[in-house]
Amino acid sequence: PGDKAGCDAMSAGEDAAWLRWVAKQFESIAGADRQIHLEQFKAALKVKESFFAERLFALFDSDGSGTISLEELLSALSLLVHGSETDKLRFLFQVYDVDARGGSSGAIDPAELRLVLRACLRESAVSLPPPRLDDLARALFEAADKDGSGSITFEELRAELEAFPGVMENLSISAVSWLKPPPPPERSRRPRYLTAAYWHNHGSQLAFLGGYTSLNLLLFTLAALRHAGLGGWVAVARGCGQCLNFNCAFIAVLMLRRCLSWLRATPVAQVLPLDHSVGLHQLVGYVVLALGAVHTGAHVANFSRLAQQDGHRALTEFLLTARPGGGGLGSTASQTGLALQGLLAAMLAFSSPCVRRGGHFEVFYWSHLSYVSVWVLLLLHAPNFWKWFVVPGGLFVLEKAVGLVVSRAVGLHIVEVNLLPSKVTHLVVQRPRSFRFRPGDYVYLNVPAIAAYEWHPFTISSAPEQQGTIWLHVRARGQWTSRLHEYCGHPEVPQPCGNLQRARWWRWAKVGEVSTGPGESRRLCSIKCYIDGPYGTPTRRIFTSEHAVLIGAGIGITPFASILQSIMYRLRKQSHDYKQGESLRGEDMTLRKVDFIWINRDQKHFEWFISLLAKLELEQAEQEPGGRFLELHLYLTAALGKSDVRAVGLQLALDLLAAKEHKDSITGLRARTQPGRPDWSKVFGKVAEERKGKVQVFFCGSPALAKVIRAHCERFGFRFFKENF
C-alpha cells in the first residue's frame, strides 16, 4: 500500500479481461508446442536492438528452458503491471546486470554499463561517437557508485533514480505494448464545436462562413423568386446561376496573393479570415462545382420537359445546337454551359492530393490554368457575369501583370547550395535591392533549368535584416524538389529531366575552406532563377504577441528560422535601451517571451539549423545573462523516454552529463533534447503558469499534428495560427 504503483492496481474485472487478452496474444505468437521461442519473442517485441529482447527473454524464462510458457509470461507481466516500485526497479537492475543468469550477480560494473548504454543508443536511434559514449557511462557510473567500490549495487541504483521524480513509479516496457488490451472507448463529451474556446479561436472564420452562406442563400432566393413564373426547374437554375455569378467572381479575390498580403498589415486582418485564404479558395471551388452541377441538371430537366411538350425536337437538340432565345452570346448558353461543367470537373479531379503530391504537379498546374478558359466561357454564357467580374477580374489581371514584370524584370541567381541531411537543399539566392519582406513570408521560386513554367512556394528562412541574399530550405518530397536536390548534388554529370539538359550556363567553383557536417556538402554556383513575392503568412502576427509559442515539426522550422533571427537582430539593436526582464517593445514588437519548440523524428534533422540555434543561444547569453526571453525546446520522437526500461539509463546519463558540461550531447546546445513526443498538456500548462501576457501559438508542420495542437490551444484559451499557403 505504501507504493504508488499499488494505486494503479486493476479491478477484478479489469484483471480478468487483461488475463484473457494476454492469453489471446500468447496464442497468436506461440508455436505449436505452446511455447514462445527467442525469435518469436523478438518479432513480437519489434525492438531495434536484439540485446534488450535477449535480456527480457532471459528474465521471462524463469526456468531457463529456452522458451517462455504462458505461466511464465503472466508471472513476469504481473510483476510489471501489479508490482511495487521496488519490484520494477529490481527488474530493471536485472536487465542491466548483464552477468546475471537466472538471478542477479548483485552489481553492475563499468563494462556492463557501457554495453547497456550502447544498446540504449541504438534502441533510441541516437548516434554518438565512442568517446561520447564513454563520457556518458563515466558520468552515470560516478554518480551512482556512491561508495566508490567500482560497481553499482541495487541500493545505489535506487538512490540515483530517486533523484529523478516520476521515473520509478512510471517505469514500463513500451515494447510489450502488444500485450496491453485495447483502451476502453472514451465517454462521449460535448463536441468541441460547441465550446467557447473553439468559437474564440475560430470567431472570424465562422462569422465569415456564416455571412458567405447567408449571402448565397439570399442571392438564390431572390433570383428564384424572380423567375418562379417560368417553372420550378427554371427557378432552381436561375437561383444557382446567380450564386455562380458571385462565387466565380469571388474565387478570383481569393487568388489575389499580393492584395491579401497587404491586407494582413491592416486592421481588416482582425475581422476577415485572411489566414485561411487557401482553404476558402478550395471551399468556394467545391461550391462552384456543386452549384454548376445543380444548375446544369435543372436546365437539362427543363429542356427534357420542353422536348416532350414540343414532340418534334429531341433533348440533344436543345443541348448541342444554338437556337433563338437559348441565352448567352449567340444563343450558345447550352454549349458553353456543358463546356464549363467539363472544365470544372477536370480541375477538381486534377487538384486532388494524390495528383499534386504524387509526382504529377505539372498535371495540376496546367489543368488549373484553365481558369482563364472558365472565365471566358462564363462571359459568353452568362450576360450579367461581367458586372460581378469587372472589379475582381481587373485586380487579378493587374496583380498578374505586376507579378510577371517584377519577377521577370531581374534575373537572379542561386549563388550557393548546401546539401543537408535527409535530402534538404539550402539555397542562397541573390536578393534584389527593392525586395522587402517580413519574417515568415514566402516566395514562389522558378528555376528554368528544372522546369521552365513551374513555380513552387517556399518559406524564406533568413531574416529581413540580412543583406545581400535570402535563404530557402527545400526538402525533396515531390518530383520537382527531388530533381532540384539531385541536380545540386551532381553538378559535374547532371541527370536531369526535360529542361535540365539545356542548362549549359551552370558554373561551379570550388569552395576554399568550408567546414561542413556529416552528410553535408557546400558549393558556390550561379544558377539562374526567378522569384515571385514576397507573400504574407499568419506568422506576421508574432511581433504583436506578448507570449509567442513557435512550434515547428521537421522542415516546418523554416518560417521560424527567419523569425528567430529577426528577433535576435532586434534584441541586439535595442538591448542598450532595455533592462533585463522588461518587455522588448519597439516599432511593431511587443514580445515578452518566446518559446520555440522543434520536433524531429531523426537526430540528423537537427543539423539543418543547429548552427543557427547555437548562435541564438550564444547571443542571448551575451546580451541577457541568465535571461529566459527565448527558450528552446527540442524533441526527438524516435528516442525512448525515461520511463522505459530500454532507455532510462541513457536518459539519466544524458541529464547528468548535460548538467556537468552545460550542453546537450545530442545537439551540442544548452537546451536539453527531450525524448519522445511532447506532452502538450504539460507544455501549455507551463506556458499558462508563466503569465507573460496574451499567448499566441504558431505552428508549421503536418495537418495531423496541427489538429492535436489546435485542440490543446482551445482547451487553454490560446490563439492558434497554422502556416498555410
Side-chain angles (χ1 to χ4, degrees), residues 540-563:
R540 283 190 171 188
R541 299 171 183 260
I542 183 176
F543 294 106
T544 61
S545 307
E546 292 177 318
H547 189 167
V549 181
L550 315 180
I551 305 174
I555 199 63
I557 185 182
T558 48
F560 305 129
S562 172
I563 290 168

Side-chain angles (χ1 to χ4, degrees), residues 433-510:
R433 291 184 179 180
S434 59
F435 190 79
R436 301 287 184 271
F437 70 98
R438 296 189 179 188
D441 285 359
Y442 69 98
V443 296
Y444 278 82
L445 175 68
N446 170 258
V447 182
I450 305 297
Y453 301 104
E454 287 190 30
W455 295 77
H456 293 262
F458 299 106
T459 303
I460 302 173
S461 52
S462 55
E465 293 83 357
Q466 176 179 308
Q467 302 299 318
T469 60
I470 60 173
W471 294 354
L472 303 175
H473 283 75
V474 181
R475 188 172 187 181
R477 284 182 172 174
Q479 189 179 48
W480 189 92
T481 52
S482 297
R483 280 156 49 187
L484 174 66
H485 185 80
E486 180 184 356
Y487 188 38
C488 293
H490 303 86
E492 305 294 340
V493 186
Q495 309 258 332
C497 299
N499 293 329
L500 286 178
Q501 298 172 350
R502 301 194 295 271
R504 298 181 178 178
W505 33 256
W506 184 291
R507 302 190 301 276
W508 291 87
K510 293 184 178 179

Side-chain angles (χ1 to χ4, degrees), residues 679-719:
D679 184 333
W680 295 113
S681 295
K682 291 183 179 179
V683 169
F684 290 139
K686 181 176 179 293
V687 169
E689 290 174 359
E690 292 182 353
R691 300 183 182 277
K692 293 291 185 178
K694 184 179 179 181
V695 178
Q696 294 186 330
V697 179
F698 301 86
F699 172 76
C700 185
S702 69
L705 183 56
K707 291 181 180 179
V708 174
I709 297 175
R710 186 192 297 272
H712 281 83
C713 287
E714 292 169 2
R715 173 186 166 191
F716 284 90
F718 300 159
R719 290 295 305 274

Side-chain angles (χ1 to χ4, degrees), residues 250-312:
F250 180 59
I251 202 169
V253 175
L254 299 173
M255 298 164 67
L256 301 174
R257 290 192 292 263
R258 292 181 185 276
C259 294
L260 294 178
S261 295
W262 174 76
L263 285 174
R264 278 192 171 93
T266 68
V268 176
Q270 304 297 326
V271 180
L272 298 180
L274 302 178
D275 298 334
H276 301 277
S277 59
V278 175
L280 291 174
H281 174 81
Q282 295 172 343
L283 172 65
V284 174
Y286 288 125
V287 170
V288 167
L289 186 68
L291 288 171
V294 176
H295 176 76
T296 302
H299 272 307
V300 170
N302 182 56
F303 290 154
S304 177
R305 179 181 63 85
L306 293 176
Q308 291 177 358
Q309 291 177 352
D310 187 285
H312 300 290

Side-chain angles (χ1 to χ4, degrees), residues 4-290:
K4 182 180 183 299
C7 298
D8 299 327
M10 298 180 181
S11 66
E14 292 173 335
D15 191 54
W18 176 73
L19 291 175
R20 289 195 299 270
W21 177 265
V22 172
K24 179 181 178 181
Q25 296 299 95
F26 177 87
E27 296 294 340
S28 67
I29 64 172
D33 56 355
R34 293 181 55 80
Q35 300 284 324
I36 297 178
H37 297 263
L38 178 58
E39 294 305 318
Q40 295 168 330
F41 191 72
K42 288 182 179 180
L45 260 62
K46 298 179 181 178
V47 293
K48 302 183 182 73
E49 178 60 36
S50 61
F51 169 84
F52 285 104
E54 293 170 0
R55 292 298 301 145
L56 294 174
F57 186 86
L59 294 174
F60 280 34
D61 180 19
S62 57
D63 61 4
S65 63
T67 60
I68 300 175
S69 65
L70 177 60
E71 291 72 19
E72 289 174 322
L73 181 64
L74 289 173
S75 175
L77 291 177
S78 294
L79 181 144
L80 293 174
V81 173
H82 299 289
S84 65
E85 290 179 6
T86 301
D87 294 331
K88 295 179 181 180
L89 181 57
R90 193 169 296 281
F91 184 87
L92 171 67
F93 187 85
Q94 291 175 335
V95 171
Y96 280 35
D97 187 7
V98 184
D99 290 338
R101 292 293 184 269
S104 175
S105 63
I108 302 172
D109 60 41
E112 290 175 317
L113 186 59
R114 192 179 190 282
L115 177 64
V116 172
L117 290 181
R118 183 188 297 114
C120 289
L121 286 171
R122 293 174 181 170
E123 195 68 34
S124 290
V126 175
S127 176
L128 295 177
R132 203 59 182 163
L133 174 60
D134 294 337
D135 293 339
L136 289 172
R138 188 181 304 109
L140 181 56
F141 197 86
E142 291 176 353
D145 184 17
K146 309 294 185 182
D147 58 5
S149 62
S151 62
I152 302 173
T153 64
F154 172 75
E155 294 301 328
E156 288 175 328
L157 181 62
R158 176 205 284 270
E160 184 62 27
L161 285 174
E162 286 177 346
F164 295 87
V167 173
M168 290 180 63
E169 56 264 33
N170 295 321
L171 202 61
S172 65
I173 307 176
S174 62
V176 295
S177 58
W178 54 280
L179 290 170
K180 299 176 183 177
E186 294 186 1
R187 296 179 179 178
S188 59
R189 298 180 299 176
R190 185 173 57 167
R192 55 190 288 260
Y193 305 102
L194 300 179
T195 62
Y198 180 85
W199 282 82
H200 170 73
N201 223 16
H202 300 79
S204 63
Q205 186 179 2
L206 294 171
F208 180 84
L209 290 176
Y212 170 76
T213 303
S214 300
L215 180 57
N216 274 282
L217 290 174
L218 178 63
L219 292 173
F220 179 90
T221 303
L222 293 177
L225 291 176
R226 193 162 56 247
H227 297 86
L230 300 176
W233 289 119
V234 175
V236 171
R238 294 296 187 180
C240 290
Q242 189 74 323
C243 292
L244 283 168
N245 282 334
F246 163 67
N247 282 277
C248 290
F250 180 59
I251 202 169
V253 175
L254 299 173
M255 298 164 67
L256 301 174
R257 290 192 292 263
R258 292 181 185 276
C259 294
L260 294 178
S261 295
W262 174 76
L263 285 174
R264 278 192 171 93
T266 68
V268 176
Q270 304 297 326
V271 180
L272 298 180
L274 302 178
D275 298 334
H276 301 277
S277 59
V278 175
L280 291 174
H281 174 81
Q282 295 172 343
L283 172 65
V284 174
Y286 288 125
V287 170
V288 167
L289 186 68

